[in-house]
Amino acid sequence: MKILLASSEVHPYSKSGGLADMVGALAKFLARAGHQVGLVTPLYRGILERFPEIKPFDWNLDILLGNTHMKGGVFVHEAAPNLTIYFIDHQPFYNRAGLYNENNTDYPDNAERFIFFSKAVVHLARYLPWQPELVHVHDWQAGLVPALIKDHASRDGWNTAPPSCLTIHNLAYQGVFSAAKFTLTNLPPDFFQPDGVEFYRQLNCLKAGISYADLITTVSPRYAREITTELFGCGLDGTLRRRQDSLIGVLNGVDYDEWNTASNPHLKQPFTIGSITGKAADKAELQKELGLPIAPNVPLFGTITRLAHQKGVDIELGALEEMLAANMQFVLLGTGGHEFEQGFRKLARRYPDKCVVKIGFDQGLSHRIEAGCDFYLMPSQFEPCGLNQMYSLRYGAIPIVRVTGGLDDSVTDASENEEKADGIKFTEFTVRALAKAIRKALFLYDDQELLRHYRENAMTKDFSWERTAKSYEDIYQRLLK
Ligand code: ADP
């Protein structure tokens, strides 16, 4: 198949969260399966410096936003056989310190930035000489693409317009802007209605994708069910229920080329379930790096996260306040909400020899935390898929997760299946329930034989991308029918 993907972030070029990991891996594994894959993404600051092999493409963009023509360029990277990355260049929009925001404040022109991007994607879909057979876009930043394709097909003589698929990575981020921004899309007025892109008199870019994509996917089966309910629907559950027949949940895969413990440039000591001693060495290395007492027998807990309410960091703070009195250590790596940063910093001051808080984005450290920790805390309020719990499983850091979305789909608690248990689950979104789950972890740690059984289950669980890519191939087949 000839597939054009579009995403506002792609690992290894740009990343703020799981979206980048997922799209980077999807593209790679589709190409590896023999499909022709193009992937469109913005050319952010620093990408050309880090990837000097990226070259200008002989293509000038002239994109109409309302009444204004905006010029842009395209750069390309032949990243692998069958895989071409197209970088959309428009320096005033993308040459910035952040992807979407700075100092926790969204860029005021995000509507312009991603309407421009979405139009560039449609332009490539239409005019690339290899003629993509389908377009698969991700999240609100590319959400207008299906609407724009429909419009070009009906008004502008694009008879061979390809079908489109939208993947929702997180329904909580919808790209909602004032109605005035709708004029920048140049869509006809009949798109601005509640069955189209309108959301309470505003423009909603994700809703555009939900309304006009031929198929919609999200990143776990449970989340696909959850988002059609009022509780998780973020105001779009009605729209999603209308499209329920076209909504499919596919659990993300893990790119084990990168996320593995046997050969990993970020880790001092490799380890596998058959030769686990390296994990103890990585734990000692991590404790040393963090300035914690090097204590092989003290359970080390970790979290790597955006500091957002969604991630349950408020109940985590509460539970740790209480639980750090016990014999345990904790490390947090994260960025985001100022009040959460302050809260964790305060916790670290209160427990200086037990708790370390690193505010920042550090991929190498994220691998070392997964490898060095005994337990991984992920008490999300909701979680479309979540990748860190799957990475933790492979790294033998037993995940402690709340029963929601992809967390429920990927972790097995002893109450579900004692033989296959690989994590600890709790249901209520409360400090008390999380503290109880941490207490369970401490008991588990005291029973090294049982812990070894959990680790074996965890480290051998398989979320290979081959399977996830196969599910998307089936979805693409359905699109092309
Ligand atoms: P989300 O996409 O909602 O943020 P996921 O668990 O799906 O959550 O994916 C998060 C990804 O971002 C993981 O690869 C995780 O390791 C990474 N990540 C999040 N915060 C940081 C950070 N501060 N430093 C390094 N990596 C991070």
Side-chain angles (χ1 to χ4, degrees), residues 187-248:
L187 288 166
D190 58 318
F191 280 73
F192 197 76
Q193 39 93 7
D195 281 344
V197 308
E198 184 198 335
F199 184 70
Y200 299 104
R201 306 300 306 154
Q202 292 184 295
L203 167 66
N204 184 322
C205 297
L206 188 68
K207 189 175 179 190
I210 297 173
S211 300
Y212 295 102
D214 296 289
L215 286 177
I216 304 154
T217 79
T218 187
V219 287
S220 70
R222 180 169 170 139
Y223 193 61
R225 295 191 297 277
E226 288 174 343
I227 57 177
T228 60
T229 66
E230 204 180 331
L231 187 62
F232 291 94
C234 303
L236 289 179
D237 45 296
T239 309
L240 285 159
R241 279 196 297 276
R242 264 202 305 282
R243 302 243 32 216
Q244 204 149 15
D245 290 346
S246 307
L247 173 63
I248 306 156

Side-chain angles (χ1 to χ4, degrees), residues 15-19 21 170 259 304-306 310-311 333-335 360-363 366 378 383 386-388 391:
K15 170 166 168 175
S16 81
L19 168 66
D21 288 6
N170 193 334
W259 291 93
I304 303 154
T305 189
R306 287 185 292 114
Q310 175 207 336
K311 298 294 181 181
L333 170 63
T335 50
F361 200 94
D362 184 338
Q363 302 220 40
S366 74
M378 199 155 173
E383 193 59 76
L387 290 171
N388 276 312
Y391 300 154

Side-chain angles (χ1 to χ4, degrees), residues 69-80:
H69 283 270
M70 287 198 172
K71 304 270 183 229
V74 182
F75 283 70
V76 286
H77 185 203
E78 301 297 339

